Amino acid sequence: MELSDALRTTGAVREFTDEPVADQTVYDILETARFAPSGGNRQGWRTIVVKDPQVRLALRDLYLNGWDEYLALGKAGLVPWAPITDREAEQVALREAGTLPRGDFAERLHEVPVMIAVLADLRALAAVDRDFDRYTLVGGASIYPFVWSVLLAAREHGLAGVPTTMLTRSEPQAREVLGVPDTHAVAGLLILGHPVRRPKRLRRAEVEDFTTLDRFDGPEFTA
């Protein structure tokens, strides 16, 4: 597959067949993804392949805590946990958490073919915005390219999946379940498997919708 085709067709997949994924395949995917870029080449990611049924079930339960809140916030027309938002409206919306249909993916998260917890070593992140009076963002640039590389590498093996950060809503409990030290943050869960169907045409904004020339309020950048 051409790289441009892979980039244009690697979408989020949450429905998988019952076909298992061999450990060798998971290893090969990680073997390729490890070449992802990171600040100072410190490679501050750490992964845990979760296979124990009880651990998976515990993570599913923690995931559902955040998912219920996510659904309630979305129903209220809010971007869940946006750094700039109406906090009072959030509190009102969260009263409905746990009352909305969850969907098969969330309810059956513990049954997915491959579950990989992704951690970030906080000692390895050059978070240049760490001391700003706003939400810190930059540190993730040394972790999430690796996550994306896993998804791209999975294509070579006929697999697809989705990264989810919902587990981070219950990070203290997730740390306990997975035995994670305080030096590491829970960056998310990577879910992989053989897709029931693969998205062929993704919907995204046009370049002109998000790119301007010289200034934020400059003219659209075009070809």
Side-chain angles (χ1 to χ4, degrees):
M1 174 179 289
E2 293 290 335
L3 177 59
S4 60
D5 289 337
L7 292 172
R8 287 172 175 263
T9 60
T10 302
V13 170
R14 297 177 176 86
E15 292 184 83
F16 308 102
T17 70
D18 294 332
E19 184 178 353
V21 178
D23 286 351
Q24 181 65 57
T25 300
V26 176
Y27 184 94
D28 290 345
I29 291 170
L30 295 173
E31 166 71 13
T32 298
R34 68 189 176 94
F35 290 96
S38 62
N41 195 28
R42 284 181 288 273
Q43 304 162 56
W45 52 78
R46 173 74 184 266
T47 54
I48 303 173
V49 178
V50 184
K51 300 181 71 173
D52 185 286
Q54 294 305 312
V55 176
R56 280 171 161 249
L57 191 59
L59 295 182
R60 190 285 306 265
D61 291 344
L62 294 177
Y63 180 95
L64 287 175
N65 292 337
W67 183 242
D68 286 340
E69 294 179 336
Y70 181 90
L71 292 174
L73 293 169
K75 181 184 178 184
L78 299 169
V79 175
W81 308 293
I84 298 177
T85 192
D86 186 335
R87 295 297 182 100
E88 291 184 5
E90 273 191 344
Q91 293 307 308
V92 173
L94 287 173
R95 295 171 188 168
E96 288 200 50
T99 67
L100 303 173
R102 290 166 165 170
D104 284 346
F105 177 75
E107 290 278 12
R108 302 178 63 182
L109 184 68
H110 56 298
E111 300 176 2
V112 297
V114 179
M115 177 185 291
I116 303 174
V118 181
L119 312 175
D121 187 342
L122 298 176
R123 302 163 298 183
L125 307 183
V128 298
D129 59 349
R130 182 194 62 190
D131 301 321
F132 288 2
D133 292 329
R134 64 152 173 79
Y135 168 78
T136 179
L137 178 70
V138 175
S142 287
I143 301 299
Y144 294 113
F146 166 78
V147 173
W148 178 235
S149 290
V150 170
L151 291 178
L152 287 177
R155 295 293 301 272
E156 187 176 11
H157 299 272
L159 303 180
V162 62
T164 171
T165 55
M166 203 62 63
L167 186 62
T168 304
R169 286 293 295 171
S170 300
E171 184 175 77
Q173 299 92 326
R175 276 202 181 111
E176 183 176 352
V177 170
L178 295 170
V180 178
D182 290 341
T183 53
H184 288 65
V186 177
L189 278 179
L190 260 170
I191 306 302
L192 299 174
H194 293 276
V196 170
R197 64 187 65 84
R198 189 184 298 279
K200 295 181 179 179
R201 185 174 182 179
L202 305 179
R203 291 179 296 172
R204 298 292 187 268
E206 300 294 335
V207 172
E208 291 83 355
D209 293 331
F210 60 83
T211 308
T212 54
L213 186 63
D214 294 327
R215 289 173 49 87
F216 185 88
D217 58 355
E220 293 179 353
F221 177 77
T222 70

